[in-house]
Amino acid sequence: LFVNKNPARGGEEAMMKKILLAFCCAAFVLMSASAYAEIVLKLQTSTQSGAYEFKYINEEWGKRLKAMTGGELVTEFYPINAIVDRAETPEAVMAGVLGGDLTAVSYFSGRNPAFAILGDLIAGYDTVDQVQTFCRYGGGRDALQDLWDAILPGALHVVGCGAVAKEALVAKVPIEGVDGFKGVKVRSPGGLAATVFKAAGAAPVSMSLSDVFTSLEKGVIDAADASAYINNTTSGFHQIAKYPIYPGIHSMAVRQFTINKGIWDSLTDDQKLTLETWFYAAYDDVRRQLDLQDKAQVSKDKAEGDITVVDWPQEERDKFRVLATQAWEETAGKSPEARAALDAHYEYMKTIGLLE
């Protein structure tokens, strides 16, 4: 039988074991908290704060990413130009001023014409879903990643890309067909869209989306390549421009979702997969919502009679597409990357039967 001849020492050992256990538990809690610390992604978008799309993504999909990651990833959405100029988001993401961006690829056309082709192949596709599929499965995301790697090596990770709407054209004057563009001052983000509008006889004017309302009001422009019909309505454009072209004839602008490469590399594999899944689910939902909202608003406007919705006949749409295809090749000839971007589109178009 063992008898502890020094009960004081036994008490000290028991106390030390309790202290050590408490210390280990505290360390585990601290390590767990550190491992699952909240990461806040500040994302600047290419939409205005009053636009339906901005409100919907902010209110409906910010909370869903938080829920999907158990609070590990949190988003803060900002409208166009809120933190930096629309064309400077990549540098802001690289510097950590932004965690990422959800913005129009065509804004970067001045850096390389390949951005114009990847950002909006004017009159190229029939549906938004085709563009979304090109980005996700047809090589679009990879082409965009390669392009950013060449321009800002190691700075950005492209989580995904895709279009959300076949944009309606905002117009103060009736434009019934291709010839109607002659002499019309059209706001254009630059790049391929500007080339096509110029070929149709219009005078493209480059400006931020945030300047469109005032420019329409003051007569600086007559029309604008802006956004989905419902976004144009909620942004107030139709208060001034009473002759919108719908369904759209030209643009299905591609948004990119990029985040800082350092942040991306710090994420777990589960977080990376969740972020990618969240983006495509969110923008597929936005696409469907915008389509429903577009149709409802068009019906309302037609019934009220204050706005004349212009719907181009198919022969005019075909004429416009011929002009666009000529502009594709002209733009592709301006850089090797632009040529590769257009070839990626062609390969995908053949796969889905748009080209033979």
Side-chain angles (χ1 to χ4, degrees):
L1 178 66
F2 174 76
V3 178
N4 184 0
K5 295 181 179 180
N6 189 347
R9 184 177 177 182
E12 290 175 357
E13 288 178 350
M15 180 61 70
M16 287 299 295
K17 287 180 179 179
K18 289 180 179 179
I19 292 171
L20 182 60
L21 179 62
F23 177 80
C24 290
C25 289
F28 177 76
V29 169
L30 288 172
M31 288 173 64
S32 298
S34 175
Y36 296 102
E38 179 182 271
I39 297 173
V40 179
L41 296 174
K42 294 172 65 175
L43 306 175
Q44 183 168 302
T45 72
S46 54
T47 51
Q48 298 192 95
S49 59
Y52 175 86
E53 179 185 339
F54 180 84
K55 292 179 180 178
Y56 188 80
I57 195 81
N58 188 31
E59 294 172 4
E60 293 296 325
W61 282 94
K63 62 185 178 185
R64 296 188 193 189
L65 180 61
K66 186 174 183 178
M68 289 166 72
T69 60
E72 296 169 23
L73 298 179
V74 178
T75 53
E76 292 179 0
F77 297 102
Y78 295 88
I80 187 170
N81 296 333
I83 297 178
V84 297
D85 182 81
R86 61 179 180 144
E88 296 172 1
T89 55
E91 283 74 17
V93 174
M94 180 173 65
V97 176
L98 293 171
D101 66 11
L102 279 165
T103 196
V105 174
S106 60
Y107 288 164
F108 313 115
S109 299
R111 302 173 187 236
N112 190 309
F115 284 113
I117 290 175
L118 290 174
D120 195 352
L121 192 68
I122 300 296
Y125 291 99
D126 294 329
T127 68
V128 177
D129 186 61
Q130 290 170 345
V131 180
Q132 199 90 321
T133 305
F134 167 69
C135 277
R136 191 171 187 181
Y137 303 113
R141 192 215 72 87
D142 294 339
L144 190 56
Q145 182 69 68
D146 290 344
L147 194 51
W148 279 122
D149 286 344
I151 292 173
L152 296 174
L156 310 174
H157 177 79
V158 180
V159 180
C161 61
V164 293
K166 190 168 188 176
E167 297 180 354
L169 192 80
V170 175
K172 288 176 67 175
V173 295
I175 303 171
E176 305 286 351
V178 173
D179 290 342
F181 273 117
K182 287 186 172 65
V184 174
K185 294 172 290 184
V186 183
R187 177 266 176 182
S188 171
L192 191 56
T195 302
V196 176
F197 285 131
K198 190 174 181 180
V205 180
S206 180
M207 67 175 62
S208 174
L209 190 63
S210 57
D211 296 325
V212 168
F213 184 89
T214 302
S215 297
L216 285 167
E217 194 174 38
K218 293 182 176 180
V220 176
I221 55 174
D222 308 306
D225 174 2
S227 190
Y229 193 97
I230 187 63
N231 284 341
N232 295 338
T233 298
T234 54
S235 295
F237 300 154
H238 294 159
Q239 295 173 26
I240 305 165
K242 304 287 188 178
Y243 299 93
I245 299 176
Y246 177 89
I249 57 169
H250 65 303
S251 176
M252 286 184 266
V254 172
R255 276 34 171 250
Q256 64 175 25
F257 177 27
T258 71
I259 68 170
N260 176 283
K261 185 66 162 57
I263 294 176
W264 177 259
D265 290 343
S266 73
L267 300 180
T268 66
D269 288 344
D270 285 348
Q271 289 171 332
K272 290 176 181 177
L273 180 60
T274 302
L275 198 59
E276 180 182 342
T277 302
W278 170 84
F279 168 72
Y280 283 113
Y283 272 75
D284 189 55
D285 183 37
V286 170
R287 171 177 68 84
R288 295 172 190 276
Q289 289 294 332
L290 286 175
D291 185 50
L292 290 171
Q293 293 292 326
D294 280 355
K295 288 181 168 66
Q297 187 64 48
V298 168
S299 295
K300 181 175 182 290
D301 289 345
K302 285 181 176 179
E304 291 179 353
D306 184 49
I307 292 171
T308 301
V309 179
V310 177
D311 182 1
W312 277 20
Q314 189 58 49
E315 56 267 27
E316 291 299 321
R317 294 175 182 273
D318 292 343
K319 283 168 62 177
F320 192 74
R321 193 169 193 272
V322 170
L323 290 178
T325 56
Q326 294 167 355
W328 301 349
E329 286 295 333
E330 179 184 332
T331 303
K334 294 180 179 179
S335 78
E337 294 83 5
R339 180 73 260 171
L342 185 56
D343 287 344
H345 276 295
Y346 284 162
E347 184 175 349
Y348 169 69
M349 285 174 159
K350 289 175 183 175
T351 300
I352 64 172
L354 280 181
L355 288 179
E356 293 183 359

